[in-house]
């Protein structure tokens, strides 16, 4: 997937590895992100495959590699874009654990859910900040993926609020029944 993200960025303009990472952080990080340690080896592999080329440029007295897409790279990228997407169900470690939370105490489950929600809220806030600062630079499809990410994270947080209420209500009902006996 990283290969196609890089090719897509390079369809827009030539970029350095650093610029690719920055663009990724501001645009695709809610569904794909990569470290410099992944980006640079991928650039080398793509260059060997003749999907991209590079030019050494001097900027502020420093040599930098500016990468550009080749015709072969454009063809590969467009071919990938035109390939129909398939749906795949969730594959989250979290859902696997949630399925077995019945083996934990309710209070511990609520704490784990709250911790998870905090992580999701943090990701939501990152996207909201990107949208606030960069929405004027985004095209319709870039903005659509950002909005999808925000709405998806909001859905996750709302769903967990409902689950937490169920667990809490169950505990309160058990406590009320204990008082009646």
């Amino acid at each position: 997937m990283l290969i196609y993200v890089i090719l897509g960025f390079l369809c827009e303009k030539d970029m350095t590895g650093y610029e690719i990472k920055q663009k990724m952080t501001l645009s695709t990080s809610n569904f794909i992100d990569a470290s410099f340690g992944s980006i640079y080896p991928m650039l080398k592999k793509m260059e060997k495959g003749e999907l991209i080329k590079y030019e050494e440029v001097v900027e502020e007295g420093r040599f930098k590699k500016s990468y550009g897409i080749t015709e072969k790279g454009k063809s590969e990228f467009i071919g990938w874009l035109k390939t129909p997407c398939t749906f795949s169900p969730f594959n989250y470690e979290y859902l696997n654990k949630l399925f077995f939370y019945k083996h934990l105490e309710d209070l511990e489950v609520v704490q784990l859910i709250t911790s998870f929600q905090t992580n999701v809220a943090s990701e939501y806030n990152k996207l909201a900040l990107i949208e606030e600062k960069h929405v004027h630079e985004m095209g319709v499809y870039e903005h659509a993926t950002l909005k999808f990410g925000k709405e998806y994270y909001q859905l996750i947080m709302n769903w967990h609020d409902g689950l937490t209420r169920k667990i809490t209500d169950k505990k309160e009902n058990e406590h009320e029944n204990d008082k009646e006996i």
Side-chain angles (χ1 to χ4, degrees):
M1 183 69 75
L2 178 59
I3 189 171
Y4 297 111
V5 171
I6 293 172
L7 287 173
F9 290 160
L10 295 178
C11 278
E12 296 173 18
K13 68 175 190 169
D14 291 359
M15 296 180 172
T16 64
Y18 177 80
E19 290 169 329
I20 290 168
K21 173 62 178 156
Q22 295 309 109
K23 177 80 171 173
M24 190 174 286
T25 298
L26 292 175
S27 60
T28 64
S29 62
N30 67 316
F31 52 92
I32 184 169
D33 200 8
S35 67
F36 289 113
S38 297
I39 292 171
Y40 284 108
M42 181 58 73
L43 288 169
K44 187 173 279 285
K45 179 180 175 181
M46 293 166 68
E47 181 192 346
K48 284 182 182 176
E50 299 178 347
L51 301 175
I52 62 171
K53 60 186 176 359
Y54 76 88
E55 175 182 339
E56 285 194 7
V57 296
V58 178
E59 196 174 290
E60 298 177 10
R62 295 177 51 189
F63 281 100
K64 294 183 177 185
K65 285 185 176 180
S66 181
Y67 296 90
I69 193 166
T70 63
E71 285 303 315
K72 181 178 177 183
K74 282 182 190 173
S75 177
E76 175 96 9
F77 178 71
I78 296 301
W80 171 77
L81 274 181
K82 291 181 177 181
T83 303
C85 293
T86 58
F87 177 78
S88 60
F90 297 111
N91 184 18
Y92 294 127
E93 176 189 19
Y94 175 75
L95 288 177
N96 289 326
K97 288 183 177 183
L98 180 64
F99 184 82
F100 294 106
Y101 275 177
K102 65 185 175 190
H103 299 288
L104 300 175
E105 295 295 322
D106 286 341
L107 179 60
E108 194 172 14
V109 171
V110 170
Q111 289 171 339
L112 289 166
I113 290 171
T114 301
S115 174
F116 183 76
Q117 281 184 289
T118 300
N119 292 336
V120 174
S122 174
E123 293 303 313
Y124 176 91
N125 291 335
K126 286 179 191 175
L127 294 183
L129 187 60
I130 289 170
E131 183 177 39
E132 182 182 309
K133 290 184 175 183
H134 300 283
V135 69
H136 61 280
E137 302 165 13
M138 295 179 189
V140 65
Y141 303 113
E142 291 170 325
H143 191 226
T145 58
L146 185 133
K147 285 179 64 175
F148 177 89
K150 284 178 56 186
E151 290 176 17
Y152 177 67
Y153 294 153
Q154 190 63 59
L155 171 86
I156 291 171
M157 290 185 292
N158 291 343
W159 185 86
H160 282 86
D161 283 341
L163 179 58
T164 301
R165 277 193 301 278
K166 271 186 175 177
I167 295 167
T168 306
D169 289 349
K170 181 181 103 177
K171 268 300 195 205
E172 287 175 5
N173 288 340
E174 287 174 2
H175 187 65
E176 289 298 317
N177 290 341
D178 288 346
K179 284 183 181 177
E180 292 175 8
I181 295 177

